[in-house]
Amino acid sequence: MRRALVTGAAGQIGTELVQALRAELGADRVLATDLRRPEDDQPVVAGGPFGLLDCTDGEALDRHLREHRPDTIFHLAALLSAVGENQPQEAYRVNLGGLVTVLEAAREREIALFTPSSIAAFGPGTPPDLTPQETIQRPTTMYGVTKVAGELLCDYYHHRFGVDARGLRYPGIISHSAPPGGGTTDYAVEIFHAAVSEGRYTCFLEPDTQLDMMYMPDAVRAALELMQADPERLEHRNAFNVTAMQFTPQGLADRIRERIPHFSIDYEVDPTRQAIADSWPRRLDDSAARREWGWSPEYDEDAMVDDMLDHLVPRPNGASAPESSSPATPGG
Ligand code: NAD
Ligand code: SER
């Protein structure tokens, strides 16, 4: 990988993936694109080239590809689960229309493609514990439908046209830089901001809803490692289960209370997001990713909570928070 283009780069994952790519490839070699332009002082814009791009617009995409000449596209533009349930037709249009547009460009210009799938690609009929790499996939959300179809489309473009398409089934991603974009796992980010600013949080999921999660540094590293993995070793390619930790809202609140003793949580359950969460796995089996390209998470729940609070709790005398670094005691 020498030059990259990122779609949906202003979102939760793009904000940090773009910075990691620029650190690795050089700032000028990473074109960040999104439907919306963040403020000029945001790193995605300030740290290197940025272009407006609707990922469903094939001509605009082609213009960016001709000018920037990437060998790899990270296709992050999508509507997430809760937003997608409010606007299912738009989720279908953006998530699948955008993916087909990007796949066609990757085919025509022989560009490698990273596309994230999700735990949302599973449904209520899927075994929820140690969910196998290959299993029942009958999701009940439009977001999930687009993720399963996306996995299949990426496999198809690889087998039929030789496109170097690769992808991960991300669990809920926790991070401190950019807010999450309207998913069901957003509570696991909101809770930290509320704990630090107000000392209390009202959660939209029930206290004992266990979901798979991952801290952003691991999510970014997983994408980079997969795209740099030896293709000869990849049997699965487009939908690797990956995971790092599992917890419930109550369990996460307990971990935060160990560090912020006055923190309290209560619950006002949102039936739509609760139903989505209840249809998703509690823990994925990520052995295929470990075997085929050496996946191993670095952050467990404790290391993630420590690092999140290190970044969000205001420091005396305005000192800045440390860069996220690998935890001293690897988890996972
Ligand atoms: P996000 O909602 O934070 O960001 C998505 C970005 O896409 C936004 O900046 C939005 O402006 C942009 N966008 C929307 N429509 C667009 C269009 N038509 N053209 C171009 N850009 C458009 O999402 P994220 O959390 O950064 O997720 C990125 C990818 O990772 C998505 O495919 C998502 O399904 C997947 N994923 C995320 C998580 C998570 O917990 N964040 C978990 C599993 C999978
Ligand atoms: N975090 C995402 C969501 O909740 C999972 O793909 O929508």
Side-chain angles (χ1 to χ4, degrees):
M1 176 166 51
R2 294 171 60 78
R3 297 176 69 84
L5 179 147
V6 182
T7 71
Q12 187 194 6
I13 296 178
T15 295
E16 302 206 28
L17 178 66
V18 164
Q19 291 182 74
L21 283 167
R22 285 179 175 156
E24 190 159 323
L25 305 180
D28 289 347
R29 291 172 177 238
V30 181
L31 176 61
T33 70
D34 201 289
L35 196 56
R36 62 191 167 94
R37 184 185 171 88
E39 297 294 317
D40 286 349
D41 62 350
Q42 293 302 301
V44 161
V45 176
F50 178 89
L52 285 173
L53 175 65
D54 177 343
C55 68
T56 64
D57 181 343
E59 283 180 18
L61 174 61
D62 201 57
R63 263 196 316 277
H64 283 301
L65 295 176
R66 256 187 283 124
E67 281 166 23
H68 186 69
R69 293 174 287 100
D71 54 47
T72 307
I73 297 174
F74 290 82
H75 177 48
L76 305 182
L79 303 194
L80 272 67
S81 58
V83 175
E85 273 322 272
N86 282 334
Q87 311 170 52
Q89 295 82 359
E90 183 64 1
Y92 179 87
R93 191 186 73 81
V94 173
N95 294 9
L96 278 180
L99 177 58
V100 169
T101 304
V102 173
L103 276 166
E104 272 299 294
R107 177 182 70 79
E108 283 167 11
R109 294 188 173 272
E110 299 185 11
I111 297 171
L113 176 63
F114 172 82
T115 311
S117 184
S118 161
I119 48 173
F122 300 112
T126 303
D129 291 304
L130 282 178
T131 302
Q133 177 67 41
E134 262 110 13
T135 185
I136 299 163
Q137 290 186 267
R138 306 287 293 176
T140 47
T141 61
M142 177 56 86
Y143 177 65
V145 168
T146 66
K147 288 299 179 188
V148 180
E151 293 177 1
L152 295 172
L153 274 168
C154 289
D155 276 344
Y156 179 81
Y157 269 71
H158 174 64
H159 295 308
R160 178 78 171 78
F161 301 120
V163 174
D164 186 4
R166 308 183 188 191
L168 305 167
R169 289 180 185 137
Y170 277 137
I173 308 294
I174 302 150
S175 67
H176 51 79
S177 290
T184 302
T185 57
D186 292 14
Y187 90 83
V189 177
E190 292 171 3
I191 193 172
F192 285 96
H193 292 274
V196 169
S197 62
E198 293 162 44
R200 57 178 304 285
Y201 178 63
T202 301
C203 184
F204 57 77
L205 293 183
E206 286 170 0
D208 58 352
T209 306
Q210 180 180 307
L211 289 168
D212 245 322
M213 299 280 178
M214 183 179 291
Y215 195 35
M216 186 64 85
D218 277 334
V220 166
R221 189 170 51 78
L224 299 181
E225 286 181 4
L226 175 61
M227 292 315 286
Q228 290 164 341
D230 176 359
E232 299 296 317
R233 288 181 63 198
L234 300 183
E235 285 170 38
H236 289 90
R237 282 198 156 259
N238 287 301
F240 280 102
N241 284 1
V242 283
T243 181
M245 63 187 87
Q246 301 77 34
F247 53 72
T248 63
Q250 189 62 54
L252 180 58
D254 291 344
R255 299 285 85 70
I256 293 173
R257 201 175 300 107
E258 288 165 9
R259 282 100 169 154
I260 304 178
H262 65 276
F263 173 65
S264 67
I265 185 166
D266 59 8
Y267 298 89
E268 272 176 28
V269 173
D270 168 14
T272 303
R273 285 180 285 186
Q274 185 63 47
I276 294 174
D278 288 342
S279 76
W280 288 355
R282 288 191 286 261
R283 177 180 193 159
L284 301 184
D285 172 357
D286 63 1
S287 52
R290 290 172 182 267
R291 191 174 56 247
E292 293 178 35
W293 49 278
W295 161 245
S296 178
E298 289 183 349
Y299 285 83
D300 62 10
E301 186 182 355
D302 270 314
M304 175 277 290
V305 173
D306 283 340
D307 201 64
M308 283 292 285
L309 293 176
D310 262 1
H311 283 84
L312 294 178
V313 173
R315 288 169 181 271
N317 308 323
S320 57
E323 287 296 302
S324 283
S325 56
S326 296
T329 311

PDB file of all heavy atoms in Angstrom, residues 78-81 83-98 141-144 146:
ATOM      1  N   ALA A  78     -21.198   5.050   5.328  1.00  0.00           N
ATOM      2  CA  ALA A  78     -22.372   4.194   5.552  1.00  0.00           C
ATOM      3  C   ALA A  78     -23.302   4.882   6.536  1.00  0.00           C
ATOM      4  O   ALA A  78     -22.902   5.811   7.236  1.00  0.00           O
ATOM      5  CB  ALA A  78     -21.936   2.840   6.124  1.00  0.00           C
ATOM      6  N   LEU A  79     -24.562   4.423   6.581  1.00  0.00           N
ATOM      7  CA  LEU A  79     -25.466   4.792   7.675  1.00  0.00           C
ATOM      8  C   LEU A  79     -25.466   3.638   8.664  1.00  0.00           C
ATOM      9  O   LEU A  79     -25.585   2.470   8.264  1.00  0.00           O
ATOM     10  CB  LEU A  79     -26.894   5.032   7.167  1.00  0.00           C
ATOM     11  CG  LEU A  79     -27.100   6.079   6.071  1.00  0.00           C
ATOM     12  CD1 LEU A  79     -28.584   6.427   5.956  1.00  0.00           C
ATOM     13  CD2 LEU A  79     -26.305   7.354   6.343  1.00  0.00           C
ATOM     14  N   LEU A  80     -25.335   3.943   9.951  1.00  0.00           N
ATOM     15  CA  LEU A  80     -25.229   2.891  10.960  1.00  0.00           C
ATOM     16  C   LEU A  80     -26.606   2.371  11.402  1.00  0.00           C
ATOM     17  O   LEU A  80     -27.634   2.794  10.883  1.00  0.00           O
ATOM     18  CB  LEU A  80     -24.366   3.373  12.132  1.00  0.00           C
ATOM     19  CG  LEU A  80     -22.865   3.091  11.895  1.00  0.00           C
ATOM     20  CD1 LEU A  80     -22.287   3.895  10.761  1.00  0.00           C
ATOM     21  CD2 LEU A  80     -22.040   3.310  13.155  1.00  0.00           C
ATOM     22  N   SER A  81     -26.599   1.472  12.391  1.00  0.00           N
ATOM     23  CA  SER A  81     -27.807   0.660  12.637  1.00  0.00           C
ATOM     24  C   SER A  81     -29.039   1.472  13.052  1.00  0.00           C
ATOM     25  O   SER A  81     -30.121   1.269  12.497  1.00  0.00           O
ATOM     26  CB  SER A  81     -27.518  -0.400  13.690  1.00  0.00           C
ATOM     27  OG  SER A  81     -27.082   0.200  14.900  1.00  0.00           O
ATOM     28  N   VAL A  83     -29.635   4.829  12.847  1.00  0.00           N
ATOM     29  CA  VAL A  83     -30.009   5.759  11.768  1.00  0.00           C
ATOM     30  C   VAL A  83     -30.636   4.976  10.616  1.00  0.00           C
ATOM     31  O   VAL A  83     -31.647   5.394  10.027  1.00  0.00           O
ATOM     32  CB  VAL A  83     -28.764   6.534  11.280  1.00  0.00           C
ATOM     33  CG1 VAL A  83     -29.103   7.404  10.080  1.00  0.00           C
ATOM     34  CG2 VAL A  83     -28.187   7.383  12.395  1.00  0.00           C
ATOM     35  N   GLY A  84     -30.072   3.835  10.322  1.00  0.00           N
ATOM     36  CA  GLY A  84     -30.573   3.011   9.213  1.00  0.00           C
ATOM     37  C   GLY A  84     -31.981   2.490   9.455  1.00  0.00           C
ATOM     38  O   GLY A  84     -32.761   2.339   8.502  1.00  0.00           O
ATOM     39  N   GLU A  85     -32.333   2.212  10.719  1.00  0.00           N
ATOM     40  CA  GLU A  85     -33.709   1.768  11.004  1.00  0.00           C
ATOM     41  C   GLU A  85     -34.698   2.913  10.880  1.00  0.00           C
ATOM     42  O   GLU A  85     -35.873   2.701  10.585  1.00  0.00           O
ATOM     43  CB  GLU A  85     -33.809   1.152  12.396  1.00  0.00           C
ATOM     44  CG  GLU A  85     -33.485  -0.321  12.452  1.00  0.00           C
ATOM     45  CD  GLU A  85     -33.984  -1.109  11.255  1.00  0.00           C
ATOM     46  OE1 GLU A  85     -35.136  -1.573  11.274  1.00  0.00           O
ATOM     47  OE2 GLU A  85     -33.230  -1.254  10.285  1.00  0.00           O
ATOM     48  N   ASN A  86     -34.223   4.158  11.092  1.00  0.00           N
ATOM     49  CA  ASN A  86     -35.102   5.318  10.902  1.00  0.00           C
ATOM     50  C   ASN A  86     -35.285   5.642   9.432  1.00  0.00           C
ATOM     51  O   ASN A  86     -36.302   6.200   9.027  1.00  0.00           O
ATOM     52  CB  ASN A  86     -34.525   6.551  11.607  1.00  0.00           C
ATOM     53  CG  ASN A  86     -34.788   6.502  13.085  1.00  0.00           C
ATOM     54  OD1 ASN A  86     -35.748   5.874  13.509  1.00  0.00           O
ATOM     55  ND2 ASN A  86     -33.935   7.128  13.865  1.00  0.00           N
ATOM     56  N   GLN A  87     -34.266   5.332   8.623  1.00  0.00           N
ATOM     57  CA  GLN A  87     -34.307   5.665   7.186  1.00  0.00           C
ATOM     58  C   GLN A  87     -33.858   4.442   6.379  1.00  0.00           C
ATOM     59  O   GLN A  87     -32.780   4.477   5.768  1.00  0.00           O
ATOM     60  CB  GLN A  87     -33.360   6.809   6.868  1.00  0.00           C
ATOM     61  CG  GLN A  87     -33.439   8.022   7.750  1.00  0.00           C
ATOM     62  CD  GLN A  87     -32.276   8.979   7.456  1.00  0.00           C
ATOM     63  OE1 GLN A  87     -32.020   9.358   6.312  1.00  0.00           O
ATOM     64  NE2 GLN A  87     -31.554   9.358   8.475  1.00  0.00           N
ATOM     65  N   PRO A  88     -34.651   3.367   6.370  1.00  0.00           N
ATOM     66  CA  PRO A  88     -34.167   2.129   5.732  1.00  0.00           C
ATOM     67  C   PRO A  88     -33.889   2.281   4.240  1.00  0.00           C
ATOM     68  O   PRO A  88     -32.907   1.709   3.733  1.00  0.00           O
ATOM     69  CB  PRO A  88     -35.280   1.112   6.005  1.00  0.00           C
ATOM     70  CG  PRO A  88     -36.431   1.876   6.559  1.00  0.00           C
ATOM     71  CD  PRO A  88     -35.943   3.191   7.045  1.00  0.00           C
ATOM     72  N   GLN A  89     -34.715   3.058   3.539  1.00  0.00           N
ATOM     73  CA  GLN A  89     -34.493   3.203   2.093  1.00  0.00           C
ATOM     74  C   GLN A  89     -33.178   3.933   1.820  1.00  0.00           C
ATOM     75  O   GLN A  89     -32.422   3.581   0.913  1.00  0.00           O
ATOM     76  CB  GLN A  89     -35.659   3.966   1.418  1.00  0.00           C
ATOM     77  CG  GLN A  89     -36.993   3.243   1.456  1.00  0.00           C
ATOM     78  CD  GLN A  89     -37.747   3.418   2.768  1.00  0.00           C
ATOM     79  OE1 GLN A  89     -37.278   4.079   3.690  1.00  0.00           O
ATOM     80  NE2 GLN A  89     -38.924   2.809   2.861  1.00  0.00           N
ATOM     81  N   GLU A  90     -32.906   4.965   2.630  1.00  0.00           N
ATOM     82  CA  GLU A  90     -31.669   5.718   2.467  1.00  0.00           C
ATOM     83  C   GLU A  90     -30.458   4.855   2.859  1.00  0.00           C
ATOM     84  O   GLU A  90     -29.402   4.917   2.215  1.00  0.00           O
ATOM     85  CB  GLU A  90     -31.728   6.992   3.327  1.00  0.00           C
ATOM     86  CG  GLU A  90     -30.550   7.929   3.209  1.00  0.00           C
ATOM     87  CD  GLU A  90     -30.378   8.561   1.810  1.00  0.00           C
ATOM     88  OE1 GLU A  90     -31.190   8.293   0.903  1.00  0.00           O
ATOM     89  OE2 GLU A  90     -29.408   9.321   1.641  1.00  0.00           O
ATOM     90  N   ALA A  91     -30.630   4.022   3.883  1.00  0.00           N
ATOM     91  CA  ALA A  91     -29.535   3.126   4.288  1.00  0.00           C
ATOM     92  C   ALA A  91     -29.210   2.153   3.151  1.00  0.00           C
ATOM     93  O   ALA A  91     -28.041   1.879   2.861  1.00  0.00           O
ATOM     94  CB  ALA A  91     -29.908   2.367   5.555  1.00  0.00           C
ATOM     95  N   TYR A  92     -30.257   1.636   2.509  1.00  0.00           N
ATOM     96  CA  TYR A  92     -30.037   0.734   1.369  1.00  0.00           C
ATOM     97  C   TYR A  92     -29.290   1.469   0.252  1.00  0.00           C
ATOM     98  O   TYR A  92     -28.315   0.975  -0.310  1.00  0.00           O
ATOM     99  CB  TYR A  92     -31.389   0.210   0.869  1.00  0.00           C
ATOM    100  CG  TYR A  92     -31.288  -0.704  -0.320  1.00  0.00           C
ATOM    101  CD1 TYR A  92     -31.085  -2.069  -0.151  1.00  0.00           C
ATOM    102  CD2 TYR A  92     -31.369  -0.195  -1.617  1.00  0.00           C
ATOM    103  CE1 TYR A  92     -30.969  -2.910  -1.246  1.00  0.00           C
ATOM    104  CE2 TYR A  92     -31.250  -1.030  -2.708  1.00  0.00           C
ATOM    105  CZ  TYR A  92     -31.053  -2.381  -2.526  1.00  0.00           C
ATOM    106  OH  TYR A  92     -30.927  -3.203  -3.619  1.00  0.00           O
ATOM    107  N   ARG A  93     -29.744   2.697  -0.036  1.00  0.00           N
ATOM    108  CA  ARG A  93     -29.154   3.462  -1.147  1.00  0.00           C
ATOM    109  C   ARG A  93     -27.674   3.777  -0.880  1.00  0.00           C
ATOM    110  O   ARG A  93     -26.818   3.552  -1.742  1.00  0.00           O
ATOM    111  CB  ARG A  93     -29.935   4.781  -1.341  1.00  0.00           C
ATOM    112  CG  ARG A  93     -29.593   5.541  -2.609  1.00  0.00           C
ATOM    113  CD  ARG A  93     -30.281   6.897  -2.667  1.00  0.00           C
ATOM    114  NE  ARG A  93     -29.692   7.856  -1.737  1.00  0.00           N
ATOM    115  CZ  ARG A  93     -28.582   8.551  -1.952  1.00  0.00           C
ATOM    116  NH1 ARG A  93     -27.930   8.406  -3.090  1.00  0.00           N
ATOM    117  NH2 ARG A  93     -28.111   9.388  -1.047  1.00  0.00           N
ATOM    118  N   VAL A  94     -27.394   4.259   0.309  1.00  0.00           N
ATOM    119  CA  VAL A  94     -26.002   4.654   0.603  1.00  0.00           C
ATOM    120  C   VAL A  94     -25.124   3.420   0.819  1.00  0.00           C
ATOM    121  O   VAL A  94     -24.033   3.309   0.242  1.00  0.00           O
ATOM    122  CB  VAL A  94     -25.942   5.576   1.850  1.00  0.00           C
ATOM    123  CG1 VAL A  94     -24.493   5.840   2.256  1.00  0.00           C
ATOM    124  CG2 VAL A  94     -26.672   6.883   1.577  1.00  0.00           C
ATOM    125  N   ASN A  95     -25.604   2.474   1.630  1.00  0.00           N
ATOM    126  CA  ASN A  95     -24.724   1.368   2.018  1.00  0.00           C
ATOM    127  C   ASN A  95     -24.463   0.418   0.852  1.00  0.00           C
ATOM    128  O   ASN A  95     -23.320   0.009   0.632  1.00  0.00           O
ATOM    129  CB  ASN A  95     -25.317   0.594   3.201  1.00  0.00           C
ATOM    130  CG  ASN A  95     -25.373   1.449   4.468  1.00  0.00           C
ATOM    131  OD1 ASN A  95     -25.128   2.651   4.429  1.00  0.00           O
ATOM    132  ND2 ASN A  95     -25.692   0.838   5.586  1.00  0.00           N
ATOM    133  N   LEU A  96     -25.503   0.069   0.106  1.00  0.00           N
ATOM    134  CA  LEU A  96     -25.265  -0.849  -1.011  1.00  0.00           C
ATOM    135  C   LEU A  96     -24.964  -0.118  -2.312  1.00  0.00           C
ATOM    136  O   LEU A  96     -24.077  -0.525  -3.068  1.00  0.00           O
ATOM    137  CB  LEU A  96     -26.459  -1.791  -1.191  1.00  0.00           C
ATOM    138  CG  LEU A  96     -26.416  -2.991  -0.227  1.00  0.00           C
ATOM    139  CD1 LEU A  96     -27.604  -3.900  -0.440  1.00  0.00           C
ATOM    140  CD2 LEU A  96     -25.120  -3.780  -0.375  1.00  0.00           C
ATOM    141  N   GLY A  97     -25.686   1.005  -2.553  1.00  0.00           N
ATOM    142  CA  GLY A  97     -25.391   1.796  -3.763  1.00  0.00           C
ATOM    143  C   GLY A  97     -23.966   2.303  -3.733  1.00  0.00           C
ATOM    144  O   GLY A  97     -23.222   2.249  -4.730  1.00  0.00           O
ATOM    145  N   GLY A  98     -23.544   2.802  -2.573  1.00  0.00           N
ATOM    146  CA  GLY A  98     -22.174   3.302  -2.432  1.00  0.00           C
ATOM    147  C   GLY A  98     -21.159   2.191  -2.620  1.00  0.00           C
ATOM    148  O   GLY A  98     -20.145   2.357  -3.315  1.00  0.00           O
ATOM    149  N   THR A 141     -32.331  -6.013  10.675  1.00  0.00           N
ATOM    150  CA  THR A 141     -32.260  -4.565  10.412  1.00  0.00           C
ATOM    151  C   THR A 141     -31.834  -4.340   8.961  1.00  0.00           C
ATOM    152  O   THR A 141     -31.138  -5.174   8.374  1.00  0.00           O
ATOM    153  CB  THR A 141     -31.193  -3.889  11.310  1.00  0.00           C
ATOM    154  OG1 THR A 141     -29.909  -4.466  11.009  1.00  0.00           O
ATOM    155  CG2 THR A 141     -31.514  -4.056  12.774  1.00  0.00           C
ATOM    156  N   MET A 142     -32.200  -3.151   8.433  1.00  0.00           N
ATOM    157  CA  MET A 142     -31.728  -2.815   7.078  1.00  0.00           C
ATOM    158  C   MET A 142     -30.206  -2.695   7.073  1.00  0.00           C
ATOM    159  O   MET A 142     -29.533  -3.105   6.119  1.00  0.00           O
ATOM    160  CB  MET A 142     -32.370  -1.512   6.597  1.00  0.00           C
ATOM    161  CG  MET A 142     -31.865  -1.064   5.243  1.00  0.00           C
ATOM    162  SD  MET A 142     -32.069  -2.330   3.934  1.00  0.00           S
ATOM    163  CE  MET A 142     -33.746  -1.972   3.421  1.00  0.00           C
ATOM    164  N   TYR A 143     -29.639  -2.120   8.137  1.00  0.00           N
ATOM    165  CA  TYR A 143     -28.176  -2.021   8.245  1.00  0.00           C
ATOM    166  C   TYR A 143     -27.548  -3.412   8.112  1.00  0.00           C
ATOM    167  O   TYR A 143     -26.601  -3.616   7.344  1.00  0.00           O
ATOM    168  CB  TYR A 143     -27.836  -1.391   9.596  1.00  0.00           C
ATOM    169  CG  TYR A 143     -26.369  -1.264   9.918  1.00  0.00           C
ATOM    170  CD1 TYR A 143     -25.524  -0.441   9.189  1.00  0.00           C
ATOM    171  CD2 TYR A 143     -25.826  -1.958  11.007  1.00  0.00           C
ATOM    172  CE1 TYR A 143     -24.176  -0.303   9.524  1.00  0.00           C
ATOM    173  CE2 TYR A 143     -24.491  -1.818  11.348  1.00  0.00           C
ATOM    174  CZ  TYR A 143     -23.669  -0.996  10.601  1.00  0.00           C
ATOM    175  OH  TYR A 143     -22.335  -0.863  10.933  1.00  0.00           O
ATOM    176  N   GLY A 144     -28.105  -4.382   8.835  1.00  0.00           N
ATOM    177  CA  GLY A 144     -27.563  -5.741   8.783  1.00  0.00           C
ATOM    178  C   GLY A 144     -27.726  -6.370   7.411  1.00  0.00           C
ATOM    179  O   GLY A 144     -26.818  -7.056   6.912  1.00  0.00           O
ATOM    180  N   THR A 146     -27.743  -4.803   4.607  1.00  0.00           N
ATOM    181  CA  THR A 146     -26.730  -4.230   3.700  1.00  0.00           C
ATOM    182  C   THR A 146     -25.334  -4.775   4.021  1.00  0.00           C
ATOM    183  O   THR A 146     -24.497  -4.883   3.124  1.00  0.00           O
ATOM    184  CB  THR A 146     -26.698  -2.684   3.756  1.00  0.00           C
ATOM    185  OG1 THR A 146     -26.249  -2.234   5.043  1.00  0.00           O
ATOM    186  CG2 THR A 146     -28.053  -2.085   3.431  1.00  0.00           C
TER     187      THR A 146
END
